[in-house]
Amino acid sequence: MGGNGKYKWRLSFARSASPSKPEPPKEFLCAIAGSLMADPVVVSSGQTFDRVSVQVCKDLSFTPILEDGSKPDFETIFPNLAIKSTILRWCEKWGVEHPPALGYASVEKVVRTRMASRQREEGDCGGLIRVSERELLKNVTGNPPVTCKHAVSELGHRVDRFYSSSSEESVVIAASPETPLPLKTRPSCYSSSSSSSSSEFQEIENPTPTLGPILSCQEEELVLKLKSRDIFEQEQAVISLRKITRTQEHRRSALCTLRVISALKPLLVSKYCDVQVNAVATLVNLSLENSNKVRIVRSGVVPLLIDVLKGGFSEAQDHAAGALFSLAIEEDNRMAIGALGALPALLNALRSDSERTRHDSALALYNLTLVNSNRMKLVKLNPVPRLLEMVKAGNLLSRVLLILCNLAACVEGRSAMLDGNAVAVLVGLLRGNGAKSKSDKENCVAALCALSHGNFRFRGLMKEARGEDVLREIEKRGSERARDKARRLLEMVRERDENGEEENVDWEGLLESAQLSGTSQRVGGVGGRNVHSAKSSDF
């Protein structure tokens, strides 16, 4: 018995002395070097690599093919501080040493090995078919046509004075002011962007059962024309491609290849109005297919869309805002779009003379600020005064309220909104019936609820704005969701009133020490997260 007990004790001790450490998550590893990233950067196409790996690939003029078949664009890089801090936290949690900086020589060896492997693969084909052609055939055969149906109500012209026949593809929301979400898209319209009677259209609009060969030949012809130095050929090709992607939804996935997008990229910044407008509109149409959204961002077009939004032709700016909105709907794109610098351009576009640009820019900002890293980036641009002025003027009210709800979900956003007198503005909107729709009232109360989270300043600002009377009215006559949030706000205010003497003493001490702002920010971070985070399902 003693021997058995000793054996069992030794076995148990051996198991507990060597705890296993988990493998690092795949997103923490550089797809080129295969090791933990010490200095992660976001490239133009949206992927994240280690800075040394990007530099080696640029020096060797090598573009790797990733697991999903895409090719990154190394033209522009931005530090990815969010993933870097996440990697460091993971290392500290599991007792792993922080990743050391990658050595240039070791990464160069890995890249040269991949280059040699690529050359051997191309040599095996005996020169009969190029790599780019194999990718084209793979994309064509791997995406069979799918018939997509849209409601008949989506096929009419938009009724506003900003409508033009060549900008029907822009992304729009539902017309009802009562339901600003869910968002809708408008992929097709009765009128075309340009008239043409070429036989090319006749062949495309009457597809035969042998769609694969026809599609491959058609794409090759369009790519050649898009790359032509003749402006007339460029314009005819991009008009043709725009019409195909608007009227034949089942072709969008197959046409969204690296070859087509690469041919479109120079046309996005063309100095010829018709070329630029139709090129950006084509990109909007391609982005309406959900499977294309990530592929488009990884192709490196986001910086070009930002340039168009900043200084392109007026109609092209409409489409650029719509494209960024459409791409931002995809959750996997949001952090990359924000890191590539879209937030300042979209914020400035809220002042555009075009109503369509303003609407789509606001919706793009709403989707992008569902990600916390983008919220913090936007707060640094000091958008709160501008957004609150738009609320008071009733300009894009539904969209701006959604953005404010998202900003109120982070500590920095709450602090900026409280400093900007957002409580008085929102209470005034509810008191003066400025928020006429049910959803606007719910979003106002939701924003107030988020501002109250862990913040001692909120109660004083509510009393100063005489917001309790407004909340009692909503508690009686508001919608179910608005009543619930108003009830919670009133309970919070009443609870603090019961301890008002002690709280007043604390506030006097804070005011005397001139540390009111810093203390409120520290208190705002308690709890780690906001239970009233601004997501579409919450409002």
Side-chain angles (χ1 to χ4, degrees):
M1 296 294 291
N4 292 337
K6 183 177 180 181
Y7 176 77
K8 291 180 179 179
W9 168 255
R10 290 179 63 186
L11 181 62
S12 175
F13 179 79
R15 288 179 176 175
S16 61
S18 57
S20 60
K21 294 181 180 179
E23 293 292 328
K26 187 176 180 181
E27 58 267 22
F28 293 175
L29 303 178
C30 175
I32 298 173
S35 58
L36 273 175
M37 293 181 285
D39 188 7
V41 293
V42 178
V43 300
S44 301
S45 49
Q47 301 98 332
T48 298
F49 304 97
D50 192 273
R51 186 185 296 271
V52 176
S53 299
V54 174
Q55 188 60 48
V56 171
C57 289
K58 292 174 70 174
D59 292 345
L60 299 178
S61 299
F62 175 70
T63 303
I65 300 177
L66 305 181
E67 291 183 359
D68 59 359
S70 62
K71 292 184 178 181
D73 181 1
F74 297 137
E75 182 178 354
T76 309
I77 61 173
F78 297 89
N80 194 335
L81 300 180
I83 193 67
K84 183 176 182 179
S85 60
T86 304
I87 292 174
L88 295 180
R89 286 197 300 269
W90 180 87
C91 291
E92 293 171 358
K93 177 180 179 181
W94 295 104
V96 178
E97 293 184 2
H98 290 185
L102 298 181
Y104 188 96
S106 60
V107 177
E108 182 181 7
K109 183 178 180 180
V110 173
V111 173
R112 288 191 180 278
T113 301
R114 298 182 70 167
M115 291 174 67
S117 176
R118 174 90 62 85
Q119 291 175 355
R120 285 195 299 270
E121 290 178 3
E122 293 178 0
D124 291 342
C125 297
L128 297 178
I129 185 169
R130 299 191 304 272
V131 176
S132 59
E133 292 173 345
R134 289 203 305 272
E135 293 174 2
L136 171 61
L137 295 177
K138 179 181 177 181
N139 285 327
V140 172
T141 57
N143 294 278
V146 179
T147 302
C148 301
K149 296 182 179 179
H150 290 258
V152 176
S153 60
E154 294 282 290
L155 299 178
H157 288 326
R158 184 185 300 188
V159 184
D160 62 28
R161 62 188 183 90
F162 294 94
Y163 174 80
S164 65
S165 61
S166 57
S167 59
E168 63 273 7
E169 294 91 343
S170 287
V171 185
V172 297
I173 65 166
S176 172
E178 297 293 327
T179 56
L181 294 178
L183 310 177
K184 291 187 178 180
T185 59
R186 187 167 174 160
S188 59
C189 199
Y190 284 126
S191 62
S192 67
S193 60
S194 180
S195 60
S196 175
S197 58
S198 65
S199 59
E200 178 182 44
F201 282 157
Q202 298 299 322
E203 181 183 21
I204 294 171
E205 295 179 355
N206 295 281
T208 64
T210 58
L211 183 59
I214 294 177
L215 182 61
S216 179
C217 295
Q218 177 63 25
E219 179 183 358
E220 184 68 30
E221 183 179 355
L222 286 175
V223 168
L224 291 175
K225 289 184 177 181
L226 291 172
K227 292 182 177 181
S228 172
R229 293 184 179 182
D230 185 282
I231 301 303
F232 179 77
E233 283 195 358
Q234 286 183 1
E235 183 177 348
Q236 292 303 306
V238 77
I239 289 174
S240 300
L241 189 58
R242 178 181 180 179
K243 183 172 183 179
I244 296 168
T245 55
R246 187 183 72 248
T247 59
Q248 301 184 41
E249 299 166 15
H250 62 280
R251 302 284 292 276
R252 291 176 185 156
S253 182
L255 284 171
C256 189
T257 64
L258 290 174
R259 295 189 69 217
V260 172
I261 297 177
S262 297
L264 276 174
K265 286 169 69 173
L267 307 186
L268 298 176
V269 290
S270 172
K271 62 181 180 180
Y272 298 97
C273 179
D274 289 343
V275 174
Q276 184 183 85
V277 167
N278 285 285
V280 184
T282 299
L283 203 60
V284 174
N285 293 339
L286 292 173
S287 72
L288 297 179
E289 187 71 29
N290 289 333
S291 61
N292 292 344
K293 295 182 187 295
V294 173
R295 196 182 312 169
I296 291 173
V297 170
R298 290 182 176 179
S299 70
V301 302
V302 171
L304 300 177
L305 290 174
I306 295 172
D307 289 341
V308 174
L309 186 60
K310 289 179 178 179
F313 294 99
S314 178
E315 191 175 340
Q317 289 179 340
D318 288 348
H319 292 310
L324 290 171
F325 163 44
S326 178
L327 296 173
I329 293 175
E330 172 56 50
E331 183 177 357
D332 293 339
N333 286 341
R334 291 167 185 162
M335 188 174 74
I337 295 174
L340 292 170
L343 295 173
L346 290 168
L347 186 62
N348 289 331
L350 295 180
R351 296 176 172 174
S352 171
D353 293 334
S354 169
E355 184 177 0
R356 301 184 69 180
T357 298
R358 296 198 303 272
H359 275 256
D360 286 347
S361 297
L363 291 170
L365 285 172
Y366 163 70
N367 282 280
L368 292 176
T369 52
L370 291 172
V371 178
N372 192 55
S373 61
N374 287 336
R375 293 173 193 152
M376 294 187 289
K377 286 185 177 72
L378 187 60
V379 170
K380 292 179 181 178
L381 300 175
N382 192 30
V384 172
R386 184 184 307 178
L387 295 176
L388 292 179
E389 285 298 322
M390 294 177 69
V391 169
K392 289 190 285 188
N395 184 12
L396 300 178
L397 182 60
S398 299
R399 287 74 169 170
V400 174
L401 285 175
L402 291 172
I403 299 172
L404 289 173
C405 285
N406 285 353
L407 293 181
C410 70
V411 177
E412 297 82 359
R414 286 196 292 272
S415 179
M417 290 177 65
L418 292 174
D419 291 341
N421 204 26
V423 173
V425 172
L426 294 173
V427 170
L429 191 67
L430 292 170
R431 178 181 289 115
N433 292 323
K436 297 180 181 180
S437 70
K438 180 178 70 174
S439 61
D440 288 347
K441 292 179 181 178
E442 290 175 356
N443 289 337
C444 276
V445 181
L448 290 171
C449 208
L451 289 173
S452 72
H453 180 64
N455 205 305
F456 292 145
R457 298 172 61 190
F458 177 79
R459 188 183 69 86
L461 293 173
M462 277 292 287
K463 282 187 171 295
E464 183 179 344
R466 295 176 297 168
E468 294 180 49
D469 295 338
V470 175
L471 292 178
R472 291 191 189 97
E473 186 69 20
I474 293 176
E475 188 181 18
K476 294 178 182 178
R477 297 182 173 84
S479 65
E480 183 178 353
R481 282 182 289 179
R483 288 199 306 268
D484 179 64
K485 294 181 185 297
R487 189 179 304 111
R488 279 186 283 171
L489 280 172
L490 287 171
E491 290 174 356
M492 180 271 297
V493 173
R494 291 164 185 161
E495 181 180 354
R496 292 183 179 176
D497 280 340
E498 294 175 359
N499 301 319
E501 295 181 3
E502 182 181 354
E503 187 173 332
N504 288 334
V505 174
D506 291 338
W507 278 111
E508 289 175 4
L510 292 173
L511 290 171
E512 289 174 1
S513 61
Q515 295 180 353
L516 176 60
S517 178
T519 302
S520 65
Q521 290 180 9
R522 290 196 296 273
V523 173
V526 174
R529 65 187 180 94
N530 187 356
V531 295
H532 307 299
S533 59
K535 295 185 179 179
S536 58
S537 58
D538 295 332
F539 309 126

